[in-house]
Amino acid sequence: MKAKLTMAALLVCMAVSAAERQPSSAFERGSSLQAGQDPRLPAIVAKCRNPPTLRPPRGGAATAANSAPPPAPELPATNAIADVLAANQAWKVVWAWEGNNADGPIANDDGTIEFANNDASNVMKLDPATGLASVVYDKTNTGGAVSRSKNGALFLAVRGIGGGIEQLEPRRRMFVNTFQGEPVECAGGSINDLMADARGGVYLSVSGAGVFYANPQGVLSKYGDAPAANGIILSPDEKTLYVTNGGTVVAFDVRADGALANQREFGKLRGGQAGDGAAVDADGRVYVTSGASVDVFAPGGEFLGSIPGPRGIHGVVIGGKDNRTLFGIVFYGGWGTPSARNEIVAIPLLAKRYMGRAK
């Protein structure tokens, strides 16, 4: 009888697990707002000691013109890059759905990837081999990117009003939501990207404001001068931090306490105009999305080549079952409108994922 009950329980668990893994079309697109879209934001920043300049909100009410499904971006041909990409490799779509800004992908050791789903305010886990996904965290207040440290802690960039960095694992809690005693909104725009370090701290980029570090106690400090800061990634040894800043990538030295020093230009993007999400491989090469390509740099800053990507490619991670697949997140359609769409695309690499961290 005990064996029968155990088997029954196992079958129930398997059924529940299978039900949770669904194609993208089974999930609601959501309607969450980033802080910059929220009509409450002007009243909040008006109380800041030095109110930041607000950008006009993107998107708007649904119209016939912005509600129709847009054509999917073309998957361009690619060229070989020595030790990175073989000749005649092609992108393929492994996931696609509606909504604004799926972002901040990370790789798991089982070949799955996780990413934040902005409009739906959740974090999803995708199996690229099957195209099936599940929601692993919900009610994230317009969560916009995830990062897992070498120690396994998982953090989320929260882009809604009351934003900041939320820790999801090992226990869920708000990690930091103030800067110098004021709401994070007083520091500038929404949080673009984040990078968790092995010390227990988190680096983050804030649109229009620059680069910040939240130490393990959750105290936020600003470093350098990178007003267009967006994608942010640590080198495998965590001694260098790379940050996209418009058409360039800048680098910082990382001190023993996590503080940053010696900002300098690391490289110029060639395949597109503005840098976004980035990743590193096992040999320390840096992969930077540019909206039209993934530009690849050697650890010393030498430009190695561009991997042309679908228009709108803005996030990247290396993973998959073989740990040699490059995944890119692609946005297309009208931002903040019903036509907004996302894809996740994949292409085989010669280079291997850095295994000491999720990204």
Side-chain angles (χ1 to χ4, degrees):
M1 177 63 73
K2 185 175 181 180
K4 290 181 179 179
L5 290 174
T6 302
M7 180 59 69
L10 177 61
L11 290 173
V12 168
C13 290
M14 291 174 63
V16 170
S17 178
E20 290 175 345
R21 296 191 301 271
Q22 302 177 68
S24 56
S25 57
F27 297 96
E28 293 291 335
R29 66 178 291 159
S31 57
S32 299
L33 298 177
Q34 289 194 17
Q37 300 171 283
D38 197 310
R40 297 175 294 169
L41 183 61
I44 292 172
V45 302
K47 298 177 181 178
C48 302
R49 288 189 294 272
N50 296 295
T53 300
L54 298 180
R55 296 185 298 178
R58 293 187 288 175
T63 67
N66 69 24
S67 296
E74 294 183 3
L75 303 176
T78 64
N79 298 309
I81 300 175
D83 301 320
V84 172
L85 184 72
N88 301 316
Q89 295 299 324
W91 294 97
K92 68 175 182 178
V93 178
V94 297
W95 189 85
W97 189 227
E98 301 176 2
N100 247 15
N101 248 23
D103 207 353
I106 59 173
N108 294 322
D109 290 341
D110 62 359
T112 62
I113 60 175
E114 293 182 35
F115 58 93
N117 213 355
N118 191 97
D119 275 8
S121 278
N122 63 30
V123 175
M124 303 192 77
K125 179 183 290 188
L126 169 70
D127 182 352
T130 64
L132 300 181
S134 59
V135 174
V136 289
Y137 290 98
D138 61 4
K139 298 179 181 178
T140 65
N141 187 17
T142 322
V146 287
S147 180
R148 190 182 296 278
S149 72
K150 287 184 176 181
N151 302 325
L154 182 65
F155 295 89
L156 170 78
V158 177
R159 293 177 175 166
I161 290 289
I165 302 297
E166 183 179 7
Q167 179 183 291
L168 298 176
E169 299 173 14
R171 67 182 180 92
R172 192 166 181 176
R173 64 187 177 99
M174 181 55 71
F175 181 68
V176 58
N177 60 1
T178 62
F179 175 60
Q180 297 179 347
E182 296 186 308
V184 163
E185 286 80 9
C186 292
S190 296
I191 298 171
N192 281 323
D193 203 358
L194 77 166
M195 179 73 235
D197 69 13
R199 301 174 187 82
V202 178
Y203 297 96
L204 55 145
S205 59
V206 178
S207 58
V211 181
F212 295 77
Y213 179 60
N215 70 13
Q217 292 73 46
V219 178
L220 198 61
S221 301
K222 183 180 177 182
Y223 292 95
D225 180 21
N230 198 335
I232 191 165
I233 191 78
L234 283 163
S235 60
D237 62 9
E238 303 202 357
K239 293 181 178 180
T240 306
L241 181 75
Y242 306 102
V243 183
T244 63
N245 186 40
T248 66
V249 181
V250 298
F252 295 85
D253 294 333
V254 179
R255 292 178 170 168
D257 62 355
L260 301 176
N262 188 27
Q263 178 180 333
R264 58 202 180 274
E265 183 175 295
F266 174 74
K268 292 184 181 295
L269 298 176
R270 313 290 180 90
Q273 295 182 343
D276 207 320
V280 294
D281 68 19
D283 294 316
R285 287 178 286 253
V286 184
Y287 298 68
V288 182
T289 55
S290 71
S293 70
V294 181
D295 287 2
V296 187
F297 298 88
E302 176 191 358
F303 177 72
L304 300 177
S306 289
I307 306 172
R311 183 69 59 176
I313 189 166
H314 66 92
V316 68
V317 68
I318 301 170
K321 291 283 189 182
D322 59 358
N323 294 303
R324 294 182 186 270
T325 301
L326 182 68
F327 296 97
I329 288 187
V330 180
F331 174 82
Y332 62 106
W335 202 96
T337 76
S339 68
R341 297 291 190 274
N342 298 279
E343 288 182 344
I344 296 180
V345 295
I347 192 169
L349 291 181
L350 298 173
K352 187 175 183 179
R353 167 190 165 203
Y354 169 58
M355 300 299 295
R357 199 173 58 218
K359 186 173 178 180

